[in-house]
Amino acid sequence: MSIVMVIIIAISLSMDAFSLSLAYGTLNLEKKYINLLSTIVGIYHFCMPLLGMWLGNSILKILPISTNMIVFIVLVFIGIEMIVESFKMERNISLMKLSELLVFGFAVSLDSFSVGLGLTAIYKNPWVSSFIFSISAALFTYIGLYLGKKINNLIGKISTIIGGIMLIIIGILYL
């Protein structure tokens, strides 16, 4: 697959972090928390796909399954989950402790772990893919925290739905 596809996937994965950051942005966080949270999300989005890739390769040695089928299943599953999450009631917004920042970063990075299961089928160099995922997620988190002060909750839901739809479409393209 091309680098353009990696960038599209990176943006799609970043939508969850973006939509939650919009909500957290309404807390008027200090700049140090905005920078720290963006960095944490970026680091998770770098490590989680690589961890998922390692686990995925281990599973493929045991169960010979088409990597395209795995990518399809994972992306469609994540896309559907993102859309369903966007319709759930209000999210709990309280965060300031480092442990809460780490949990936030982990929660919005789980989908990048799943994408890592089929990462080598997406692009041959997993380090480049993870780096792009990391930069995209950190940037979208940073922007979301700032924009969260200015826009309503509806936009956060729409961005999650758009990200979910993009992942489903990309998953279908792998079939």
Side-chain angles (χ1 to χ4, degrees):
M1 244 335 120
S2 72
I3 195 77
V4 173
M5 190 64 71
V6 173
I7 293 170
I8 291 170
I9 291 171
I11 291 169
S12 298
L13 292 174
S14 300
M15 287 298 155
D16 192 32
F18 177 73
S19 64
L20 287 174
S21 295
L22 285 172
Y24 283 107
T26 62
L27 295 176
N28 199 18
L29 297 176
E30 296 176 28
K31 186 164 180 79
K32 70 178 183 178
Y33 286 110
I34 291 172
N35 292 335
L36 182 59
L37 184 55
S38 299
T39 302
I40 288 170
V41 170
I43 290 170
Y44 272 123
H45 270 79
F46 180 81
C47 297
M48 296 295 270
L50 295 173
L51 186 60
M53 181 193 66
W54 173 78
L55 182 63
N57 288 339
S58 299
I59 291 171
L60 286 176
K61 289 177 184 173
I62 299 168
L63 301 170
I65 302 170
S66 164
T67 54
N68 284 350
M69 183 58 77
I70 292 173
V71 171
F72 165 74
I73 291 168
V74 167
L75 291 179
V76 168
F77 177 76
I78 294 169
I80 291 170
E81 188 266 333
M82 286 174 69
I83 292 169
V84 169
E85 283 292 318
S86 72
F87 289 106
K88 288 190 175 179
M89 293 300 287
E90 204 174 303
R91 296 176 174 146
N92 185 9
I93 304 173
S94 72
L95 127 98
M96 285 299 170
K97 299 178 195 165
L98 179 60
S99 62
E100 292 170 333
L101 296 173
L102 292 171
V103 169
F104 175 93
F106 181 76
V108 299
S109 301
L110 284 175
D111 50 359
S112 64
F113 173 82
S114 301
V115 168
L117 294 171
L119 191 58
T120 53
I122 295 169
Y123 191 69
K124 295 299 176 202
N125 189 332
W127 296 98
V128 170
S129 297
S130 290
F131 180 74
I132 292 170
F133 294 167
S134 174
I135 297 300
S136 176
L139 182 63
F140 273 79
T141 300
Y142 190 84
I143 291 169
L145 290 169
Y146 275 110
L147 289 179
K149 297 175 183 180
K150 298 180 180 172
I151 58 178
N152 65 34
N153 292 332
L154 180 62
I155 299 299
K157 290 181 181 183
I158 290 171
S159 68
T160 302
I161 292 169
I162 290 169
I165 290 170
M166 287 173 64
L167 288 177
I168 291 170
I169 291 170
I170 292 168
I172 291 170
L173 292 175
Y174 271 90
L175 284 181

